[in-house]
Amino acid sequence: MFFYMASHGVANSDATAVGVLEDVKSAAHRPWSQSINVTQLATALPILGADGCWVFLDACQEVVPEILEQVNGVQSQPLITYSVTDLARRRTSSVALAGSRLGGTAWAPTDGNPPFFTQALIEALRGAGVEFFAGEGWMVTGLQILFNLDHIANAALNNAGLQTESLTQFNRRVKLLRVAAPMIPVVVRTATENHMSVAVSVTASDGNGRTYTKVGNDLAWRFRVEPDQAVFTAQAQFAGPHPVYQPASFIAAPPAQIVELTE
Amino acid sequence: MTQGETHVVRLIGSSPVPYRFQIVGPPDRGVLAEILSDANGEAEARLETGRYVCYAENLSRGTAETAQFAILDGDPNDLSVRVGNGRRGEGLLSQNLRPSRATAYRALGSLSGVTTDDPDLIPVISPRFNNLRLQLPISATLNDALVGTPKKRFSVGLSVDTTPGKRGGWRALRRKPDVRVHSDPQKLTLEFNQSIAPVGEKVRISLSVETERVWQIYLPFFSSGLRATIWSAVADFGPELTLQVSAVDPSLSLVLASTLGSYPSGMETVSGFRGRETMFQPQKDPWAAIAVGLSAVRAGERLDDAFATPWLWSAFDNVSDAYVLWAWAIAAKAEKPSSQIDERCLQALKKARKLGRPYFSATGEIIGEMLNALALSSTSADVRSQAKSEARIWSNRGRAKIRNGPFYSWERSGDNLRSGILPSETYSVVVSGHVTTNRIDVAS
């Protein structure tokens, strides 16, 4: 079972994460009830008996004083109701992740693309968030999604500030989908950021015939490699005698590689 | 991968707390080893020449890091690999685990024209809400409010609850507590080898840093030992201290980590784990037994029968967590939902609430889940109404809390302790001094 919601979000008075719907504030007596309490949903979904429950909320968790002053918080309508007996019989748990921290904000680029959390999630599902399982191959796992999405956003989107928060207890080893040929995002930066743009050439080579070369004039060079655990060496060459950067090596392994060249 | 000689590789976690290391070889070989570290986050593995990925799970925080390393021909037989993501600036930001930023919130409130002096209405602000200045339009007054002090006084104190279950009983310990304190410029470690209070009396640790609210955690005195580590960190608000509690026994740490999220393939596959049954001794160590119970609940396993008999826990009547597990056991044993079962669960949860905050963060979450279920779907209107009222009390109590890994921590709502000094009648101060940027100076 897969649930995804992108919207504006608020923190409920009990610190749970709530995504607001289009008609929020349309009812005078319960202004915030047109909303979905995603934390509660993530808790309740496994009670329905699904083998795996994946819940994602790409929204802020803004602290709104008005909600804190409401006796029962936002009072959103629960999508699933369950008894304590149902709860105690639950055998699985959700992988539930928000693209912000409690009290924090979620961000989107200004170029019209999806918000950063969603982009990082898509990158993880496409193949960055994988682990290898004998007999099964590369699988996207709860562990990589829960703990490494910020890494993936850093390498794939050049966004070093992605913050995520698990909304329920973790489910580390659960597998979502198989990826036949995953590719791992790599970002190479220079310690002084704009040195990257004046480099004559920046390359990454595995010493075995595979060489990637930077094209374009970005301050962060991004590309993708197969997760075959080859050792790559990244280096930057400049026109003059200065600056002089040391080569840096990285291993092509999931979820992402962040390489910083230093002088 | 080149097959070659075997090397002894010492894996070192980025913090001196127990870790679970998972070593993965190249795709054709999969997971090679799953090892529990020692109490200081170090473990040994025997590996051939090759390239490896290592997942390192910090069992005290419940966070995971991924690292890669290569063992090359010609490397010495004994190697050390320091595991850590090594991202730029990571050491500064992610160390800052303090529950809230009340000063920042007040500044935010005054900026938006909303002011509140009621401390209970100040919500939890994210522990990583420390790039606030980057997120807000900066005004001169706000900037002043957020500028940190370069040097702050701090104290760490221990208090005991002399009137368990009732208000106003917190006092300094009657005699000098048996705690070993180690200090270095970056961190302080407090080690407890045994309980420092009589059976039935709770003990809490309090950290007071000048300008910040006092941060508290109940100490579960595991028979295998308990450690509290206080780190220096840097935030936008000036020098900062963070507090982390961990079990000394790595096996118990793994059980505690499983209360945050289950290991579907079980913990028994982890090399070095000594088995949950060895920790289930409720008469001797109620906290470890409760951790085992919470682990079973989180894994969807059957709870030990001991939790269905509240008399067993009456000797530790100050541990509210046991009554939450009792409520769970009642619900789990029921064949079908009924208002009688709901009523019994509610009474057990009420009893737990009256005993105070729980020791474990998983308990706090289970209480919320159970009260929500009762409030929404009990067939008894009275139970629904009472459960709503209980849930409200819990959420009010929970506003100043945040998970401290498997432990429940909170901030005191009062502002009278923001001087970095703890009053001696209520707190036995075990260490105090000053914290400056990335350095702790202990007063002799």
Side-chain angles (χ1 to χ4, degrees):
Chain A
M1 205 174 290
F2 194 96
F3 177 90
Y4 165 87
M5 180 175 186
S7 174
H8 181 56
V10 293
N12 197 7
S13 56
D14 60 356
T16 51
V18 174
V20 300
L21 300 173
E22 198 176 354
D23 55 346
V24 70
K25 292 197 166 180
S26 60
H29 301 301
R30 291 183 172 185
W32 294 92
S33 62
Q34 288 78 19
S35 57
I36 295 176
N37 189 322
V38 179
T39 308
Q40 270 181 20
L41 178 71
T43 304
L45 267 180
I47 293 167
L48 298 182
D51 280 345
C53 301
W54 298 73
V55 177
F56 299 102
L57 172 67
D58 193 346
C60 304
Q61 292 185 60
E62 189 187 344
V63 171
V64 180
E66 182 190 324
I67 293 173
L68 300 179
E69 286 158 15
Q70 298 277 328
V71 176
N72 291 313
V74 296
Q75 300 183 69
S76 38
Q77 191 65 31
L79 298 182
I80 302 165
T81 54
Y82 52 90
S83 70
V84 279
T85 320
D86 298 332
L87 182 69
R89 286 184 184 150
R90 188 181 59 187
R91 292 292 173 266
T92 57
S93 56
S94 300
V95 171
L97 196 68
S100 61
R101 294 262 181 159
L102 183 62
T105 35
W107 297 87
T110 52
D111 58 9
N113 277 318
F116 291 117
F117 174 77
T118 298
Q119 286 196 55
L121 183 62
I122 291 170
E123 185 74 28
L125 297 178
R126 279 173 63 194
V130 291
E131 290 178 70
F132 191 83
F133 293 86
E136 293 177 282
W138 291 104
M139 306 288 286
V140 175
T141 63
L143 181 133
Q144 298 285 36
I145 298 270
L146 285 167
F147 296 111
N148 288 321
L149 223 52
D150 58 338
H151 238 54
I152 292 168
N154 189 330
L157 311 173
N158 192 27
N159 177 342
L162 183 73
Q163 296 197 344
T164 61
E165 183 170 56
S166 173
L167 295 179
T168 57
Q169 60 165 317
F170 314 139
N171 197 336
R172 299 173 175 87
R173 299 292 295 170
V174 69
K175 302 164 196 167
L176 177 60
L177 52 92
R178 183 176 291 113
V179 182
M183 296 294 277
I184 303 307
V186 181
V187 62
V188 181
R189 299 188 180 96
T190 44
T192 304
E193 197 177 26
N194 60 5
H195 282 167
M196 179 59 84
S197 60
V198 296
V200 175
S201 84
V202 189
T203 57
S205 169
D206 72 345
N208 232 347
R210 279 186 301 179
T211 300
Y212 296 84
T213 306
K214 179 178 182 256
V215 277
N217 202 28
D218 292 340
L219 293 175
W221 173 37
R222 289 173 285 160
F223 58 102
R224 290 186 174 84
V225 296
E226 288 173 55
D228 58 2
Q229 299 206 13
V231 178
F232 281 85
T233 303
Q235 48 194 340
Q237 305 293 333
F238 295 86
H242 296 289
V244 178
Y245 273 86
Q246 304 298 320
S249 65
F250 66 92
I251 297 178
Q257 295 299 320
I258 299 158
V259 184
E260 184 175 312
L261 299 173
T262 53
E263 286 186 78
Chain B
M1 175 178 161
T2 316
Q3 300 286 331
E5 54 188 313
T6 304
H7 297 255
V8 176
V9 180
R10 187 151 198 81
L11 299 164
I12 304 169
S14 52
S15 303
V17 296
Y19 275 80
R20 180 180 68 99
F21 294 113
Q22 189 181 38
I23 302 168
V24 182
D28 60 327
R29 299 191 58 201
V31 176
L32 299 177
E34 209 171 347
I35 315 165
L36 206 53
S37 79
D38 62 16
N40 295 313
E42 298 186 14
E44 273 186 5
R46 301 184 80 83
L47 298 169
E48 293 171 349
T49 313
R51 294 151 198 170
Y52 301 92
V53 176
C54 180
Y55 299 108
E57 182 187 0
N58 178 327
L59 297 176
S60 293
R61 285 188 188 173
T63 54
E65 294 176 321
T66 309
Q68 298 83 38
F69 61 92
I71 304 170
L72 306 174
D73 282 329
D75 275 347
N77 280 335
D78 294 309
L79 287 169
S80 286
V81 173
R82 196 166 284 276
V83 179
N85 287 331
R87 284 172 287 184
R88 192 190 291 185
E90 181 199 48
L92 303 182
L93 291 177
S94 63
Q95 278 178 34
N96 186 14
L97 297 171
R98 197 177 172 81
S100 84
R101 287 284 172 277
T103 316
Y105 179 73
R106 285 220 175 87
L108 191 61
S110 61
L111 195 74
S112 63
V114 179
T115 54
T116 173
D117 292 325
D118 181 351
D120 280 343
L121 289 181
I122 294 173
V124 178
I125 304 289
S126 162
R128 292 180 64 178
F129 194 32
N130 47 13
N131 55 348
L132 183 79
R133 280 188 291 179
L134 305 176
Q135 298 178 11
L136 286 174
I138 296 296
S139 68
T141 49
L142 178 65
N143 212 19
D144 286 349
L146 298 177
V147 166
T149 320
K151 185 177 182 182
K152 292 178 179 174
R153 197 163 35 213
F154 78 92
S155 300
V156 181
L158 298 168
S159 316
V160 62
D161 188 7
T162 55
T163 57
K166 298 193 181 80
R167 283 170 166 267
W170 290 97
R171 294 288 177 271
L173 293 148
R174 295 169 202 106
R175 55 189 167 82
K176 197 171 182 300
D178 181 15
V179 51
R180 282 193 299 166
V181 180
H182 308 272
S183 67
D184 69 41
Q186 268 70 50
K187 69 174 191 297
L188 294 168
T189 312
L190 279 63
E191 290 210 8
F192 305 88
N193 294 323
Q194 58 186 26
S195 176
I196 56 172
V199 172
E201 291 184 3
K202 275 181 184 161
V203 175
R204 70 185 184 200
I205 187 169
S206 304
L207 171 65
S208 172
V209 181
E210 197 176 345
T211 72
E212 301 287 346
R213 289 175 161 206
V214 169
W215 185 4
Q216 300 182 322
I217 305 181
Y218 287 152
L219 294 178
F221 292 108
F222 302 120
S223 56
S224 50
L226 181 73
R227 185 182 284 174
T229 313
I230 293 159
W231 303 82
S232 71
V234 178
D236 273 3
F237 306 96
E240 180 63 277
L241 287 176
T242 77
L243 172 60
Q244 189 176 4
V245 172
S246 55
V248 172
D249 174 14
S251 292
L252 179 55
S253 291
L254 189 66
V255 170
L256 287 165
S258 73
T259 68
L260 297 173
S262 57
Y263 296 96
S265 49
M267 289 178 272
E268 280 68 22
T269 56
V270 181
S271 166
F273 181 65
R274 68 180 162 91
R276 275 184 290 183
E277 62 286 349
T278 61
M279 297 168 216
F280 193 83
Q281 297 176 300
Q283 310 285 12
K284 184 182 162 211
D285 187 346
W287 299 285
I290 287 167
V292 172
L294 289 169
S295 171
V297 166
R298 288 313 205 187
E301 295 167 3
R302 192 176 159 277
L303 206 49
D304 193 284
D305 284 343
F307 288 102
T309 51
W311 56 264
L312 183 63
W313 303 97
S314 60
F316 304 99
D317 217 358
N318 55 342
V319 187
S320 58
D321 308 60
Y323 290 87
V324 178
L325 284 171
W326 177 33
W328 187 273
I330 293 167
K333 275 201 154 184
E335 287 181 5
K336 58 180 182 182
S338 73
S339 57
Q340 287 79 13
I341 294 293
D342 292 349
E343 177 65 33
R344 287 179 63 203
C345 287
L346 182 67
Q347 292 312 322
L349 293 174
K350 267 188 173 179
K351 168 94 176 162
R353 190 255 300 164
K354 286 176 184 163
L355 294 172
R357 298 169 193 265
Y359 282 84
F360 300 103
S361 55
T363 312
E365 285 162 25
I366 290 170
I367 292 168
E369 290 171 8
M370 291 191 83
L371 287 175
N372 258 329
L374 291 170
L376 290 173
S377 68
S378 175
T379 49
S380 156
D382 184 45
V383 170
R384 285 201 304 272
S385 152
Q386 286 192 56
K388 267 184 196 157
S389 160
E390 284 291 312
R392 209 156 39 234
I393 296 170
W394 268 107
S395 62
N396 281 337
R397 185 182 265 180
R399 281 194 187 146
K401 63 108 177 174
I402 203 163
R403 271 201 303 235
N404 189 285
F407 304 101
Y408 190 98
S409 78
W410 66 94
E411 290 191 321
R412 281 192 68 82
S413 57
D415 284 346
N416 55 338
L417 297 173
R418 286 174 165 231
S419 57
I421 300 172
L422 291 166
S424 59
E425 67 273 20
T426 322
Y427 300 89
S428 299
V429 174
V430 285
V431 59
S432 64
H434 287 89
V435 55
T436 52
T437 306
N438 227 18
R439 184 180 173 85
I440 302 172
D441 294 314
V442 174
S444 54

